Amino acid sequence: MAQLLLIEDDPTVRAALMRTLAERGHALTSAATGMNGLRMAVDERPDLVILDLGLPDLDGYEVIRMLRAVSSVPLIVATARDDEDEIARVLDAGADDYLVKPFRAVQLEARVRAVLRRQRGEEDDLAPIAVGELRLDPRSREVTLSGAPLDLRPKEFDLLYYLAVRRGQVVSKRELLTQVWQTPYGGADKTVDVHLSWLRNKLGESAQEPRYIRAVRGVGVKLVEP
Ligand code: CA
């Protein structure tokens, strides 16, 4: 069962959706305005928000933007227009999925289940990773080597985790800059080299005598089981 928040100003639509979703075992609260909806999304921390774009007080896109500024709660948007540009705008603004009105409550319920399943799947991806004697826990951001904790800086952890998820695959320094440092432009490969050197140091190895971190000349670097 999930706790859902429905933001919809039309009382008939709201009552119908709430009835169907409740029948399917969801717990629901609702708001008739964007401001109330935002407040409830923050106060009640629902598992998922369903948002009607056409609200009396705020533009629907404003609601999405304001919600996304404070919360990553899964969001399904109900839009009145079946138009590609509109749907692209909704998704770009931060919605996880959308439905075009009119829709049946069972369709909405199917979307709710799909979005929640996807969300839970992503959380499962945060499982600890082991490579040889190295163990990384992305939730606690703790790393141990042969059971002994390693003291890594945030970026060192991010770099090691990125490589660990892709263990055995060569990753280019450009990709590391883009993905770990999120600097697609003008980043220096030296940043990556310096962090790799610190990591090697903490893993008790060196570029000359690598164990976990292997350079592939002219291509990049990979994390392997020694
Ligand atoms: Ca409306």
Side-chain angles (χ1 to χ4, degrees):
M1 187 188 81
Q3 175 71 45
L4 313 180
L5 169 62
L6 174 64
I7 310 176
E8 163 69 68
D9 60 318
D10 183 325
T12 314
V13 173
R14 196 168 63 233
L17 293 180
M18 288 190 73
R19 191 171 53 242
T20 305
L21 290 165
E23 275 168 14
R24 306 212 166 211
H26 299 292
L28 281 127
T29 51
S30 72
T33 63
M35 280 316 288
N36 275 340
L38 283 168
R39 188 180 48 72
M40 289 169 75
V42 171
D43 291 350
E44 297 178 1
R45 306 175 58 83
D47 298 312
L48 184 142
V49 174
I50 301 154
L51 171 70
D52 171 35
L53 267 199
L55 293 169
D57 59 332
L58 287 175
D59 173 68
Y61 293 98
E62 274 298 289
V63 180
I64 302 178
R65 235 179 27 80
M66 290 162 80
L67 180 64
R68 278 292 171 255
V70 294
S71 165
S72 58
V73 62
L75 173 65
I76 297 177
V77 167
T79 146
R81 277 194 294 159
D82 184 9
D83 146 354
E84 262 178 49
D85 291 344
E86 173 91 356
I87 288 157
R89 279 183 71 204
V90 165
L91 296 175
D92 286 346
D96 294 281
D97 205 349
Y98 67 93
L99 275 172
V100 177
K101 287 183 162 186
F103 54 82
R104 289 181 302 133
V106 290
Q107 285 177 286
L108 173 62
E109 209 268 331
R111 295 295 173 93
V112 166
R113 269 187 289 122
V115 168
L116 290 173
R117 206 164 44 230
R118 206 154 69 212
Q119 163 96 352
R120 283 169 191 153
E122 278 165 16
E123 281 173 8
D124 288 347
D125 288 346
L126 288 176
I129 298 179
V131 180
E133 292 294 305
L134 191 61
R135 192 179 155 86
L136 292 91
D137 186 336
R139 287 181 191 275
S140 62
R141 295 178 68 86
E142 285 166 354
V143 181
T144 57
L145 180 60
S146 308
L150 296 185
D151 184 19
L152 301 188
R153 299 186 187 96
K155 277 296 175 222
E156 291 169 344
F157 179 88
D158 293 342
L159 175 60
L160 188 61
Y161 182 68
Y162 192 87
L163 292 171
V165 168
R166 295 158 185 79
R167 58 186 167 275
Q169 298 171 32
V170 185
V171 180
S172 73
K173 289 177 186 172
R174 178 61 37 189
E175 177 177 342
L176 291 171
L177 270 177
T178 314
Q179 300 300 320
V180 178
W181 277 267
Q182 311 202 331
T183 50
Y185 326 102
D189 284 4
K190 193 159 186 310
T191 307
V192 178
D193 288 334
V194 168
H195 279 79
L196 284 172
S197 146
W198 286 335
L199 264 183
R200 282 185 167 123
N201 206 1
K202 290 179 179 177
L203 293 171
E205 60 182 77
S206 65
Q208 290 70 40
E209 289 180 50
R211 292 180 69 234
Y212 284 94
I213 299 175
R214 303 265 171 173
V216 179
R217 192 178 291 276
V219 187
V221 66
K222 64 181 173 182
L223 190 75
V224 297
E225 193 172 330

